[in-house]
Amino acid sequence: MLTGDRHPGLTDPEVRVTGDGLRRADTRFGLVNANTSYTYTRHERNAPDAVQNPGEKPHQILPTEGLEHQTVAELRGARSVTASSYGNWLFHLPQYDPVNAFDGDPDTAWTEGSAGSPDGQWLRIGFDGSYDMPDSFEVTPLPQDGVRPAATRVQVETERGTRTSFLRADGTAQTVRAPAGATDWMRLTIVDSTARRAGLTGAGFAEIALPDIQVTRLLRLPTDAARSASAAEIVSLHRAADPTGLSPTGTEAGLHRRFTTAADGTFEVRASAVPVPGPALDELLYEVAPERRARITATADSTARLGAGLSARNLTDGDLTTAWIAGDRPTIHLRWAGKVPVDKLVLAAAGGLSTRPTQVHISSPDGAVIAGVDENGWVRFEPITTDRLDITVTETAPLTLHNPVVDEKLRLPVGLTEAHVPALEELRTPRPDAGREFTLPCGRGPDVALDGELYQTSVEGTVGDLAERRPVRVTLCQEGREDAEVELPAGAHRLEGGDAGPLTLTGVTLTRGSLGDAPAAGRKLEVRDWLGDRRELTVGSGAASYLTMYENVNDGWKATLNGEELTPVRLDGWQQGWRVPEGAGGSVKLSYEPATTYDAALIGSGVGIAALIGLALWRRREPGPDAPQPPAPAPGPGWGRWR
């Protein structure tokens, strides 16, 4: 049961569970996925230039009101970080959180989310106290790359004034001027940009490198059960999966949590991590499955900055769930050992937010050709005996997205999931034994920081877990030996894990005390009638328990046990239930009270309709008021005729 719900008959439950799932975030309920924002701070609102619900409090459907029942964000390193918009005008893309521009990680970024031009979009940081702004600092704008506009001129504003600087649209680190001197805030505004047409995502910055400033968004778990006296306690920390599927580790940069424990004690720690595509994971796979060592390598001239998992290496990994999406230079390079005649290849389209190639230019030191690509990705051409191919996409299928806000069509970049050369089948990377187990010793897993103390970890899993990027088990260790327990005092704590290396931390569970055995079989239950709005069942004797229905909670439902009304409860934050007291069982009757009024209205309507029909038939049998009159007498003989 949630702490904000009524829980009759319960004082202190045996187990107290605190999790980070119920977060203060905005939801766009008209979307199926990519519809939830990053986690807001206690007083944060939607971006002022957002197309949907600008400047409003986050839209949520909550089981219980009150911030103490929710996980909220807290910033470390700044008082506030806000932006005019972020991500995309339609979707929520939390991976473009404004904080990412100040987090010191070049692999994360903020992008504006306007429907049209990025000109006028801004990013603002409020410092913790007065900050001595230098006369210049370094920024790394995101490159144009064919999938977004890029900033070419920006304005830096502080309490001391404004300065304007020009930028290159190539994604390199550059220096911008700033008004020097003490200030409490800084705002960077995009004044001009390369593209006037909207892209898949907006213009933005991978990094705004202010000296001595690094901002982290930590999530504080609910505090509503801080005074619980439960004998056992569980703290569950989890990074949510990326709804767009573009990032394997989720929409958060690292796992950063603050939580409170109710009592001193020894906590058992269980953790999990997921593999992150890239060279480090390749080397790990070569170590645990040497037969996977790539025999064909793939590189690219550009890769769209749409997610951490997009890479040219995915084109030869034999995995159709990985992909590469081109930036502004859609050229890939395939290399292998020894010259082989090649006359065909398969370029499998990635789908999603990308289109497929329809024509390519293939070149090598041994020949070149321009060839078409059919709908299935096949490319056929005259044989070229070579040990390399450079493939440039010159034409793509006319696949576009329509942006109704600005009435524009967005042309999608080309994306591939595999580049397969049939002539090189013997060089194709064989699939390893997915069930083969592996173990990484202490120090090889992702590090975990708990209350400032760094813990090393070991890892266990299967080769299939690594190849298919499934979670693997992570165990804390110290001085080379496994030690999955930590001593924590009552009070506030902080746990963090980064994204460096082939494995990144995604979940941690801390457990204090014994959870005990699962309860014995519940009270005997026999359904006698479960149709309509009136239901009946029989409950056996036993301990106090809950009777539940797989329906939303509704005050209209009433339940009685042997004529005595049962106390209603809400379970799991949504489910209708009642508390059945300890003791003898009996007959339980459920009724939906509004149905009585509804049924009465139906009966009344039926009676009224029948009365109207009867009245109509009765009136038809009465003599009409306008019955035919007798004919007038014929004219007499003395009457003349007028002419």
Side-chain angles (χ1 to χ4, degrees):
M1 298 189 66
L2 302 184
T3 53
D5 284 335
R6 293 180 302 164
H7 35 82
L10 287 177
T11 53
D12 288 316
E14 295 182 3
V15 181
R16 168 193 184 240
V17 181
T18 306
D20 58 6
L22 188 61
R23 304 181 183 183
R24 186 173 188 265
D26 183 64
T27 301
R28 293 176 178 172
F29 292 101
L31 300 175
V32 177
N33 53 26
N35 63 348
T36 304
S37 72
Y38 57 84
T39 304
Y40 287 2
T41 60
R42 295 178 64 89
H43 305 294
E44 192 168 355
R45 290 173 172 261
N46 293 337
D49 287 354
V51 174
Q52 302 181 51
N53 310 315
E56 297 182 10
K57 291 182 179 180
H59 282 212
Q60 299 177 283
I61 297 179
L62 299 172
T64 305
E65 296 292 334
L67 291 177
E68 70 275 11
H69 302 305
Q70 298 182 63
T71 294
V72 298
E74 296 180 349
L75 299 188
R76 181 177 61 202
R79 184 179 71 255
S80 64
V81 176
T82 55
S84 54
S85 62
Y86 83 95
N88 182 276
W89 67 270
L90 175 61
F91 299 106
H92 270 312
L93 300 179
Q95 59 268 44
Y96 297 122
D97 178 356
V99 165
N100 292 346
F102 301 96
D103 66 357
D105 184 354
D107 292 329
T108 64
W110 163 76
T111 66
E112 51 85 18
S114 64
S117 169
D119 298 352
Q121 296 295 301
W122 51 265
L123 180 66
R124 186 184 189 277
I125 179 172
F127 301 111
D128 287 327
S130 181
Y131 176 73
D132 188 14
M133 178 68 65
D135 60 3
S136 66
F137 57 87
E138 197 172 82
V139 300
T140 306
L142 293 176
Q144 200 270 336
D145 272 354
V147 297
R148 63 167 57 85
T152 56
R153 188 158 59 102
V154 295
Q155 176 181 278
V156 177
E157 180 183 2
T158 72
E159 294 179 64
R160 296 285 180 169
T162 62
R163 296 289 187 275
T164 301
S165 302
F166 289 92
L167 296 174
R168 301 183 301 276
D170 57 5
T172 59
Q174 301 161 58
T175 300
V176 297
R177 297 186 301 158
T183 182
D184 288 341
W185 55 271
M186 185 276 293
R187 184 163 76 170
L188 186 145
T189 303
I190 299 173
V191 178
D192 203 359
S193 56
T194 56
R196 299 292 179 180
R197 295 177 62 84
L200 287 177
T201 62
F205 294 86
E207 202 60 37
I208 298 176
L210 294 172
D212 303 319
I213 296 295
Q214 183 171 325
V215 186
T216 303
R217 186 181 294 272
L218 297 95
L219 303 190
R220 176 176 289 282
L221 272 63
T223 58
D224 51 1
R227 293 178 295 276
S228 171
S230 301
E233 183 176 4
I234 298 175
V235 178
S236 177
L237 313 175
H238 179 66
R239 290 169 71 181
D242 181 359
T244 65
L246 296 178
S247 172
T249 59
T251 56
E252 294 181 64
L255 183 70
H256 306 280
R257 298 290 185 270
R258 284 176 173 163
F259 60 93
T260 302
T261 54
D264 301 347
T266 300
F267 286 77
E268 179 187 1
V269 182
R270 290 180 292 129
S272 61
V274 296
V276 182
L281 178 59
D282 291 342
E283 290 301 322
L284 178 57
L285 280 167
Y286 301 155
E287 176 185 341
V288 300
E291 67 273 19
R292 272 191 65 91
R293 184 167 293 276
R295 303 169 187 179
I296 308 173
T297 61
T299 58
D301 284 354
S302 67
T303 301
R305 287 287 298 269
L306 294 174
L310 300 176
S311 171
R313 61 167 292 282
N314 297 333
L315 297 174
T316 59
D317 65 356
D319 186 350
L320 295 179
T321 67
T322 62
W324 164 78
I325 295 180
D328 57 347
R329 301 184 306 280
T331 299
I332 59 175
H333 310 278
L334 302 180
R335 302 289 186 268
W336 59 89
K339 293 189 176 184
V340 176
V342 177
D343 62 353
K344 63 176 74 72
L345 56 92
V346 181
L347 302 176
L353 295 177
S354 66
T355 187
R356 63 178 181 85
T358 57
Q359 181 178 285
V360 294
H361 177 263
I362 302 172
S363 63
S364 77
D366 306 292
V369 67
I370 295 177
V373 185
D374 68 18
E375 293 183 354
N376 297 317
W378 281 93
V379 186
R380 296 177 173 86
F381 47 91
E382 291 297 318
I384 300 175
T385 302
T386 185
D387 60 357
R388 66 186 62 189
L389 289 177
D390 301 319
I391 305 167
T392 300
V393 178
T394 54
E395 293 184 12
T396 60
L399 182 60
T400 59
L401 291 177
H402 181 66
N403 184 339
V405 177
V406 293
D407 195 25
E408 289 183 356
K409 290 185 177 180
L410 313 180
R411 191 169 184 84
L412 299 179
V414 66
L416 302 174
T417 184
E418 285 291 310
H420 174 51
V421 183
L424 304 177
E425 188 65 34
E426 69 278 5
L427 299 180
R428 191 176 180 88
T429 302
R431 297 193 67 82
D433 178 9
R436 183 191 307 168
E437 296 183 351
F438 76 92
T439 301
L440 300 182
C442 183
R444 295 287 305 278
D447 291 337
V448 178
L450 181 57
D451 292 339
E453 183 176 353
L454 193 64
Y455 292 84
Q456 294 183 321
T457 63
S458 59
V459 179
E460 294 178 291
T462 66
V463 173
D465 294 333
L466 294 179
E468 299 180 19
R469 304 190 309 283
R470 296 193 298 256
V472 293
R473 296 182 301 278
V474 175
T475 303
L476 266 60
C477 57
Q478 294 178 338
E479 299 178 354
R481 59 180 177 82
E482 289 191 358
D483 187 359
E485 295 183 341
V486 295
E487 296 289 334
L488 295 179
H493 303 281
R494 185 180 75 251
L495 186 144
E496 300 186 69
D499 287 341
L503 301 171
T504 187
L505 199 68
T506 54
V508 177
T509 302
L510 301 95
T511 305
R512 172 182 61 83
S514 174
L515 301 182
D517 298 329
R523 299 167 71 158
K524 184 178 180 181
L525 180 69
E526 180 184 353
V527 176
R528 299 170 61 184
D529 182 7
W530 200 261
L531 298 176
D533 302 313
R534 298 186 181 278
R535 305 170 183 179
E536 188 172 350
L537 44 93
T538 300
V539 175
S541 60
S545 57
Y546 292 117
L547 172 65
T548 66
M549 296 196 306
Y550 290 104
E551 297 183 19
N552 288 336
V553 67
N554 191 310
D555 292 338
W557 280 106
K558 304 295 180 184
T560 61
L561 172 62
N562 298 328
E564 295 291 330
E565 186 171 345
L566 297 177
T567 303
V569 293
R570 178 170 58 184
L571 303 174
D572 297 331
W574 69 275
Q575 193 174 354
Q576 178 70 59
W578 292 270
R579 182 178 184 272
V580 180
E582 179 182 9
S587 175
V588 175
K589 294 183 178 181
L590 310 178
S591 62
Y592 187 65
E593 297 298 319
T596 303
T597 304
Y598 178 72
D599 292 343
L602 287 180
I603 294 172
S605 299
V607 171
I609 292 172
L612 288 174
I613 294 174
L615 180 61
L617 294 176
W618 174 72
R619 286 180 61 84
R620 290 190 63 180
R621 294 175 181 174
E622 287 185 343
D626 298 323
Q629 301 296 319
W639 288 20
R641 177 178 296 178
W642 292 93
R643 295 185 181 271

